[in-house]
Amino acid sequence: MKKLIFVLLFSLLSLGFTFKTSGQEPVIQKEKRMEWFKDARLGIFIHWGIYSVNGIDESWSFYNGYISYDDYMKQLNGFTAQAYKPEAWASLIKESGAKYAVITSKHHDGVALWDTKLSDLNVVNKSPASRDLVAPLVKELRRNSLKVGIYYSLLDWSNSDYPNFTKASKRYENDSLKWDRFTAFNHGQIGELSKNFRPDLWWFDGDWEQSAEKWKAPEIRKMILSENPSAIINSRLQGYGDYATPEQGLPSVKPAEKYWELCMTINDSWGYQQNDKDFKSPGQIIKIFSGCLSKGGNMLLDIGPRADGSIPDEEIAVLKTLGKWTKKHSEAVYGTEGGLPAGYFYGPSTLSKDSTMLYLFVQGDPKGEVMLQGVKNKINRIYVVGNGTKLTWKEYLKPYWSNNAGLYFINIPDAVLDDNMTVLAVILDGKLKLQ
Ligand code: H79
């Protein structure tokens, strides 16, 4: 009985968050839909496609004329997926500390990784992989309680009804018949993905080639939300998305947008390229990740599996080290807000949701101490996150007659330093008060 009342109460509460627009489409308020994303902090991007066969740029290699279209498409013959282990992918993603993954269901080249009925250009019909590669991953991600993100490029340089083909050649300028056919196809594929996988997150790309009106962006948004009212959509839908997606660029100051995600490669390529050994070290990735956290954003870190479905060792190593670090420092990472503005502490920082705990990210060797300024609160306690050691501190420049914040010097013995980035938890006497 108690349980029944609880369930009833809960359903009523949840209903409170839903309302209807124009009397048909159920919509959950954005803040509610974005909640898990805001707390997730880390996602893994997966660029997997036929471009991994030769190890060349995804789609852009033929668009920019570095390889002919026909030779690019010959890669289909080498796309085997014979060592693809979706359960191992999902558990590695889980181990990294990521809360969601985003897989390329179709890049600008138009090659679908799922069993689309709307085009022959898919790995089921046209490659030795001969099966839907998205479906088993979606299943394994869900089994690991990870949110499912689907990347889908709106543009399709392979489709004969699409105006753009390569940088050097366009199919047509204006042809409403062809464009209408393309729109039907485009919306049809989104509908398939929506029904087959019910993504939690949609990661559109390529929207810059057409206007919102041409894509019929409001319709796409509506279609997605009517299938899954709690879905979230990235910004690349010509103004009809939910969150910003800076690509390969860490914002220097806190962005104006409340919700954002830095998408970034581990080396210099999105897909697998055997010739690209320019891997960022785990330490560098953790520094960049902390930069995102500090400014209130997520990091969507990309991996590029090989054509056979194996993941390069360097990428596995990064995800595993990241996993150790995120696990040790989870209280400073998940469910926190962006931290101090620039100038208060020389390093990244985050803040607990109730603003009473400040997390200071200490880069490198602080040589015994760090300085915190402009914080008017008294400090109740400082400890090393994931280690527990209590630290001592001293306040200077705080004469009895001054109302200003003093300077806190926090002592950090070498023994508590983390191999990558040490984090200090500062328990304040109340909500953070900045000078
Ligand atoms: O999948 C990866 C890239 O292939 C894809 N997004 C990530 C996740 C991507 N496609 N395009 N871009 C990223 C950026 C493209 C920028 C440009 Fe342009 C397109 C530069 C020149 C053409 C649009 C038109 C922006 C500037 C001019």
Side-chain angles (χ1 to χ4, degrees), residues 45 47 58 60 107-108 151 203 205 208 236 247 263 270:
F45 213 168
H47 271 70
E58 66 288 349
W60 294 99
H107 205 263
H108 314 332
Y151 169 107
W203 217 103
D205 206 0
W208 66 83
R236 303 189 185 183
E247 179 166 326
C263 59
W270 292 103

Side-chain angles (χ1 to χ4, degrees), residues 112-354:
L113 249 64
W114 82 98
D115 189 12
T116 178
K117 305 296 180 208
L118 298 174
S119 153
D120 228 22
L121 191 52
N122 63 69
V123 298
V124 188
N125 295 353
K126 288 273 176 76
S127 83
S130 309
R131 61 197 192 280
D132 187 319
L133 300 174
V134 178
L137 183 65
V138 167
K139 188 171 150 227
E140 290 300 327
L141 291 173
R142 292 239 157 85
R143 215 167 54 80
N144 282 278
S145 311
L146 294 162
K147 297 280 186 190
V148 172
I150 295 288
Y151 169 107
Y152 179 82
S153 176
L154 291 165
L155 60 82
D156 192 328
W157 293 327
S158 278
N159 193 302
S160 54
D161 288 326
Y162 190 74
N164 302 351
F165 176 41
T166 67
K167 197 160 88 177
S169 73
K170 239 178 164 223
R171 294 192 179 90
Y172 62 86
E173 282 297 338
N174 282 308
D175 186 329
S176 59
L177 195 77
K178 283 193 172 164
W179 181 257
D180 288 349
R181 246 185 354 227
F182 180 77
T183 305
F185 161 78
N186 206 21
H187 289 207
Q189 283 204 323
I190 295 168
E192 277 186 344
L193 290 166
S194 198
K195 289 202 167 55
N196 293 5
F197 309 123
R198 213 169 181 271
D200 302 296
L201 182 157
W202 286 82
W203 217 103
F204 288 114
D205 206 0
D207 68 330
W208 66 83
E209 282 203 353
Q210 314 292 335
S211 63
E213 197 186 351
K214 276 225 151 171
W215 294 124
K216 296 200 170 77
E219 253 180 58
I220 294 178
R221 186 179 169 86
K222 202 166 155 189
M223 170 165 59
I224 287 170
L225 290 175
S226 34
E227 187 69 29
N228 179 5
S230 52
I232 64 174
I233 303 170
N234 76 338
S235 58
R236 303 189 185 183
L237 189 55
Q238 289 287 21
Y240 287 84
D242 295 311
Y243 73 89
T245 52
E247 179 166 326
Q248 303 279 49
L250 176 64
S252 308
V253 293
K254 213 181 245 183
E257 292 92 350
K258 183 170 176 190
Y259 306 107
W260 63 273
E261 168 201 77
L262 163 70
C263 59
M264 185 181 81
T265 54
I266 293 188
N267 51 8
D268 298 323
S269 316
W270 292 103
Y272 174 70
Q273 301 203 10
Q274 64 269 43
N275 206 33
D276 181 354
K277 294 286 176 196
D278 191 20
F279 290 99
K280 296 168 196 76
S281 69
Q284 289 171 331
I285 304 262
I286 288 169
K287 287 191 179 80
I288 299 169
F289 180 41
S290 304
C292 294
L293 296 174
S294 189
K295 295 171 191 117
N298 290 2
M299 181 172 77
L300 184 64
L301 183 64
D302 181 71
I303 57 172
R306 296 189 189 88
D308 68 0
S310 59
I311 299 173
D313 287 345
E314 296 92 337
E315 298 186 342
I316 294 178
V318 165
L319 264 57
K320 289 193 171 208
T321 309
L322 195 55
K324 276 196 200 125
W325 188 85
T326 49
K327 194 168 181 201
K328 178 177 172 189
H329 300 98
S330 67
E331 67 161 289
V333 173
Y334 306 105
T336 57
E337 309 271 344
L340 297 165
Y344 289 79
F345 175 70
Y346 294 117
S349 59
T350 58
L351 197 59
S352 64
K353 281 219 169 101
D354 66 2

